[in-house]
């Protein structure tokens, strides 16, 4: 399988191994697969006894078989996923796909870990190194840090705004050590992002150091997010009357776009529900045909506060800019903060199940869908994007209870912070990089 930029359909074509080290294409577009895989038979042969790794292998082989041997692909999948999703039926017909059992307790672990392991695999025996440079406002950086920790021939440099991430987030970024280097920047998240951007356009620096990015638009993070849709289907397939419905709490729409690839390559899916908070430019597009990006607004589900979703460009490339095609598969649903809190409260009271605020957005959207399709025996799978224990204040406010911090995170609080404090300009970053690599 080869890949091209959304902005240059005529090429050049890249391999997966090339595209993942580029991140964004030089023309500013996003890499997308060329042509389709036909995996329908393989998907239909899976069953409830299929492990997550087995489900992942089906898709990974389809994507990588021109570049790696079956044994290498197997080793990659095996190494990338020491954790797996769980599927829980919380109420009749409504299943929660828990994607928070990885090291940072959020679904981004799946994409980050596959990318990191892929990079390590492609660097092997090549006498090449990579330095991952990334800015974080808190949460996403921790999945990247965990995923790259201990990877051979790779260093990670993470910039975060001093005093503007939560104590737990700071521990997640700064306590790993080894090949993970945290830079505490005296400035805002925007300053951190600007410094990273400036470094990537600094030709002298780029000529000297093998700098690369690992942000969420990277193909190597996007595609593995399709693996758990396939696994969830395998779990439920023997009891399905109709095709499955997936409900995805969305911000940049990477998670949802990955599901669309699984569908495009043969997974039987009836509908994807795109659940958003007040940042609802995609549900608006689905209703009106007008796409109007705008500045984001803050909500309780803040990992979804995105006013201009980066993966919209990939979705448009899949559906060939056709509004009709897009809305025939995807249904939009906007959920307010008030509704989010109420859902967390009622689901805890009635089902005894604790939701994080992001998952709650998806949960209510799924409940609404099921209400409208009562006689049809439909099954909806809601993607649970993070562990509720990561959002103590909102969970407390909604349910009156303090959630337990997952043990993996609780242990971090005892560890020592290691970070280098720097000023918010490129010169400081350049000096740091040149002195250390
Ligand atoms: C990143 C994130 C989302 C949004 O996912 P996208 O792929 O950007 O749509 C939802 N919930 C949580 C907890 C996240 O970290």
């Amino acid at each position: 399988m080869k890949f091209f930029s959304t902005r240059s359909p005529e090429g050049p074509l890249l391999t997966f191994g090339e595209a993942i080290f580029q991140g964004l294409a030089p023309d500013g577009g996003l890499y997308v697969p060329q042509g389709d895989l036909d995996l329908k038979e393989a998907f239909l042969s899976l069953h409830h006894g299929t492990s997550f790794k087995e489900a992942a292998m089906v898709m990974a082989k389809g994507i990588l078989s021109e570049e790696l041997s079956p044994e290498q692909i197997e080793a990659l999948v095996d190494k990338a996923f020491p954790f797996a999703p769980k599927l829980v039926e919380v109420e009749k017909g409504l299943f929660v796909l828990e994607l928070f059992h990885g090291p940072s307790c959020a679904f981004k672990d799946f994409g980050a870990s596959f990318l990191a392991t892929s990079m390590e695999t492609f660097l092997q025996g090549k006498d090449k190194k990579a330095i991952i440079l990334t800015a974080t406002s808190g949460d996403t950086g921790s999945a990247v840090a965990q995923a790259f920790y201990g990877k051979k021939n790779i260093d990670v440099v993470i910039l975060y705004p001093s005093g503007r991430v939560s104590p737990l987030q700071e521990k997640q970024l700064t306590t790993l050590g080894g090949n993970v280097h945290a830079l505490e920047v005296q400035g805002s998240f925007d300053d951190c992002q600007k410094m990273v951007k400036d470094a990537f356009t600094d030709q002298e620096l780029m000529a000297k150091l093998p700098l690369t990015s690992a942000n969420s638009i990277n193909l190597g993070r996007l595609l593995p997010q399709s693996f758990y849709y396939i696994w969830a289907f395998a779990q439920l397939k023997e009891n399905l009357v109709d095709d499955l419905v997936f409900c995805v709490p969305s911000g940049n729409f990477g998670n949802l776009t990955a599901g669309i690839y699984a569908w495009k390559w043969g997974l039987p899916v009836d509908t994807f529900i795109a659940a958003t908070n007040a940042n609802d430019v995609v549900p608006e597009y689905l209703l009106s045909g007008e796409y109007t990006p705008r500045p984001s607004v803050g909500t309780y589900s803040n990992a979804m506060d995105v006013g201009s979703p980066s993966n919209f460009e990939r979705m448009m490339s899949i559906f060939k800019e056709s509004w009709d095609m897009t809305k025939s598969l995807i249904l939009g649903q906007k959920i307010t903060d008030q509704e989010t809190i109420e859902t967390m409260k009622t689901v805890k009271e009635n089902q005894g199940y604790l939701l994080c605020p992001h998952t709650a957005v998806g949960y209510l959207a799924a409940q609404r869908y099921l209400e409208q399709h009562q006689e049809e025996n439909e099954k909806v799978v809601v993607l649970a994007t993070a562990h509720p224990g990561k959002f103590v204040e909102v969970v407390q406010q909604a349910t009156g209870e303090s959630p337990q911090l997952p043990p993996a995170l609780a242990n971090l609080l005892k560890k020592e912070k290691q970070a280098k404090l720097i000023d918010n300009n490129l010169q400081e970053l350049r000096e740091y990089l040149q002195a250390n690599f």
Side-chain angles (χ1 to χ4, degrees):
M1 168 155 262
K2 296 283 197 305
F3 304 87
F4 64 92
S5 162
T6 44
R7 299 190 189 169
S8 310
E10 63 291 346
L13 292 177
L14 275 73
T15 62
F16 185 83
E18 290 164 343
I20 59 172
F21 286 98
Q22 284 206 7
L24 204 65
D27 61 8
L30 284 77
Y31 287 111
V32 289
Q34 181 204 35
D36 287 323
L37 297 170
D38 183 2
L39 300 173
K40 192 164 188 141
E41 293 288 310
F43 290 156
L44 292 176
S45 71
L46 305 177
H47 52 87
H48 73 270
T50 300
S51 69
F52 172 69
K53 282 181 191 173
E54 287 165 342
M57 274 300 291
V58 171
M59 191 87 157
K61 276 191 177 147
I63 296 165
L64 288 165
S65 58
E66 290 165 34
E67 294 169 65
L68 299 175
S69 70
E71 294 74 31
Q72 283 176 308
I73 301 171
E74 215 148 304
L76 198 171
V77 167
D78 194 54
K79 198 163 177 208
F81 301 119
F83 50 91
K86 287 185 188 158
L87 191 66
V88 184
E89 185 169 19
V90 177
E91 58 186 273
K92 189 173 174 295
L94 203 163
F95 295 79
V96 170
L97 180 61
E98 296 181 346
L99 301 173
F100 48 70
H101 300 291
S104 83
C105 303
F107 81 92
K108 290 190 178 76
D109 287 328
F110 286 89
S113 188
F114 191 81
L115 173 66
T117 314
S118 297
M119 283 187 169
E120 185 180 50
T121 304
F122 282 104
L123 286 172
Q124 214 162 29
K126 284 225 181 97
D127 193 29
K128 275 211 262 185
K129 286 191 187 314
I131 301 169
I132 309 291
L133 191 59
T134 188
T136 183
S137 56
D139 224 35
T140 57
S142 63
V144 171
Q146 292 280 357
F148 282 94
Y149 176 62
K151 292 282 178 284
K152 292 187 200 76
N153 301 316
I154 306 179
D155 279 282
V156 188
V157 177
I158 299 186
L159 284 73
Y160 72 95
S162 181
R164 304 196 198 189
V165 302
S166 76
L168 177 63
Q169 286 171 337
E170 186 169 41
K171 292 279 187 183
Q172 287 186 279
L173 300 172
T174 60
T175 57
L176 285 165
N179 65 333
V180 177
H181 316 276
L183 295 181
E184 180 177 1
V185 175
Q186 287 175 314
S188 65
F189 170 58
D190 290 338
D191 293 332
C192 297
Q193 255 189 327
K194 182 165 186 314
M195 288 161 74
V196 169
K197 242 188 177 155
D198 288 349
F200 282 123
T201 49
D202 183 315
Q203 292 188 354
E204 199 191 317
L205 197 60
M206 291 300 284
K208 273 195 205 141
L209 296 172
L211 297 181
T212 187
S213 71
N215 55 24
S216 66
I217 51 100
N218 194 302
L219 191 69
R221 283 181 62 174
L222 181 89
L223 290 179
Q225 294 175 169
S226 62
F227 300 166
Y228 38 74
Y229 289 85
I230 299 161
W231 179 77
F233 162 76
Q235 297 306 294
L236 294 173
K237 124 181 172 203
E238 278 115 341
N239 301 313
L240 285 181
V241 181
D242 289 310
D243 287 351
L244 265 182
V245 176
F246 284 100
C247 182
V248 190
S250 295
N252 268 318
F253 283 79
N255 218 0
L256 184 77
T257 302
I260 298 172
Y261 282 117
W263 162 80
K264 200 165 175 254
W265 296 342
L267 194 72
V269 178
D270 179 272
T271 300
F272 289 96
I273 304 170
T276 70
N277 57 31
N279 297 284
D280 64 339
V281 295
V282 171
E284 261 177 17
Y285 165 76
L286 293 165
L287 281 180
S288 69
E290 301 284 330
Y291 180 63
T292 319
R294 54 170 195 256
S296 65
V297 296
T299 71
Y300 289 134
S301 46
N302 59 15
M304 290 154 51
D305 294 346
V306 181
S308 177
S310 49
N311 283 292
F312 191 74
E313 194 165 323
R314 277 197 174 107
M315 289 162 71
M316 287 300 98
S317 147
I318 295 173
F319 295 112
K320 309 199 165 49
E321 318 280 329
S322 159
W323 177 49
D324 282 328
M325 260 214 272
T326 313
K327 71 185 166 106
S328 70
L329 185 69
I330 307 174
L331 204 67
Q333 183 73 244
K334 169 181 128 173
I335 305 297
T336 65
D337 260 358
Q338 189 56 38
E339 291 168 330
T340 304
I341 293 282
E342 272 163 24
T343 304
M344 292 169 74
K345 181 175 195 300
T346 53
V347 174
K348 178 71 180 88
E349 281 172 5
N350 300 337
Q351 273 77 36
Y353 190 85
L354 207 53
L355 298 162
C356 94
H358 309 82
T359 309
V361 167
Y363 197 98
L364 181 58
Q367 278 183 322
R368 287 192 179 153
Y369 181 91
L370 281 169
E371 270 164 32
Q372 286 160 8
H373 295 79
Q374 263 175 4
E375 57 302 331
E376 292 160 48
N377 229 328
E378 294 248 28
K379 290 193 180 1
V380 182
V381 175
V382 181
L383 274 57
T385 53
H387 191 289
K390 296 185 83 171
F391 306 94
V392 178
E393 283 101 43
V394 191
V395 172
Q396 253 168 358
Q397 184 189 339
T399 67
E401 287 182 37
S402 321
Q404 282 256 307
L405 208 57
L409 296 184
N411 288 336
L412 285 180
L413 291 174
K414 299 177 213 135
K415 294 198 179 157
E416 194 84 27
K417 164 180 162 183
Q418 311 170 40
K420 181 169 167 55
L421 196 63
I422 67 167
D423 260 346
N424 60 351
N425 59 68
L426 178 63
Q427 186 52 30
E428 285 264 315
L429 176 60
R430 197 191 284 129
E431 277 167 19
Y432 171 84
L433 291 171
Q434 286 175 339
N436 288 277
F437 302 103

